[in-house]
Amino acid sequence: VNFAHGAQYMLGAFVAWGLLEYFGISYWYALIITPFVVGAFGLLIERLMLRRLYSVDHVYALLLTFGLAMLMEGAFRWKFGATGQPYPNPISGGLDIGISFIPAYRIWVIVASLMLCLTTWFVIERTKLGSYLRAANENASLVRTFGINVPRMLMLTYTVCGILAAIAGIIIASRTSSAKWTSAPPT
């Protein structure tokens, strides 16, 4: 159970915003760099904190990740406020379908989300790694007897979940930001 996943989502949006705001990196480079930063943060959480809780009841991991989420969200709220920060719109223009105008960025969000969802589904359901993950989720001690390193798989899973949360945070931040949209049709 990972209650810190939402905080990792937020962290992805803020790391990308920091790269855009303070370092002048483009949105597309931030989309590549940020998932690795948040994934490394997730890896640290798993290695330093969660790994110690695998042998005890799952409620302890739930409480730890809930506490981490509260600390992260509180720290960001204290530093940046509750309203968020303006994100630039990386894609201008859009598609006029007659009855509505669809901003190009929303099309990008839909396509990227579908690609991520389908890729994640494919890895979990159709690969050997996915079958190991599903088996370890059901019966970790049995999977260990087959020589599979379950702690390493859990570390990999937690890191990849952080990466996916960061990508989602980056993608949705520009869509829901208070920044002025430049993709509206000309009037």
Side-chain angles (χ1 to χ4, degrees):
V1 178
N2 180 8
F3 269 88
H5 203 67
Q8 289 173 319
Y9 170 87
M10 174 202 63
L11 183 62
F14 269 103
V15 167
W17 174 80
L19 290 172
L20 294 166
E21 188 73 18
Y22 297 123
F23 296 103
I25 293 176
S26 77
Y27 172 84
W28 304 105
Y29 287 123
L31 186 62
I32 295 169
I33 296 169
T34 301
F36 290 107
V37 172
V38 178
F41 180 73
L43 176 73
L44 283 174
I45 290 172
E46 195 279 334
R47 296 288 290 181
L48 298 176
M49 296 179 212
L50 285 173
R51 184 162 286 206
R52 303 179 197 293
L53 301 177
Y54 289 152
S55 61
V56 297
D57 192 5
H58 294 299
V59 75
Y60 293 107
L62 180 140
L63 289 172
L64 174 70
T65 57
F66 184 73
L68 285 172
M70 297 292 287
L71 286 171
M72 289 174 62
E73 290 168 14
F76 277 87
R77 185 171 292 146
W78 172 75
K79 175 71 175 158
F80 298 106
T83 59
Q85 300 296 319
Y87 251 71
N89 184 11
I91 304 173
S92 61
L95 181 64
D96 189 359
I97 58 172
I99 60 171
S100 181
F101 179 82
I102 304 171
Y105 191 76
R106 289 192 186 192
I107 296 169
W108 155 245
V109 168
I110 292 168
V111 170
S113 300
L114 283 173
M115 288 180 3
L116 282 171
C117 287
L118 290 174
T119 302
T120 303
W121 172 84
F122 181 80
V123 169
I124 291 171
E125 294 293 328
R126 302 286 184 209
T127 64
K128 186 183 268 191
L129 174 64
S131 65
Y132 291 162
L133 287 171
R134 290 191 319 272
N137 188 40
E138 291 295 321
N139 193 342
S141 58
L142 179 65
V143 172
R144 278 191 198 105
T145 61
F146 290 110
I148 297 170
N149 189 342
V150 174
R152 185 179 296 159
M153 289 184 56
L154 292 172
M155 178 185 66
L156 173 70
T157 302
Y158 202 83
T159 303
V160 170
C161 288
I163 288 170
L164 290 173
I167 293 170
I170 298 164
I171 288 174
I172 206 66
S174 285
R175 189 186 154 306
T176 59
S177 170
S178 60
K180 190 171 190 164
W181 281 85
T182 59
S183 59
T187 54

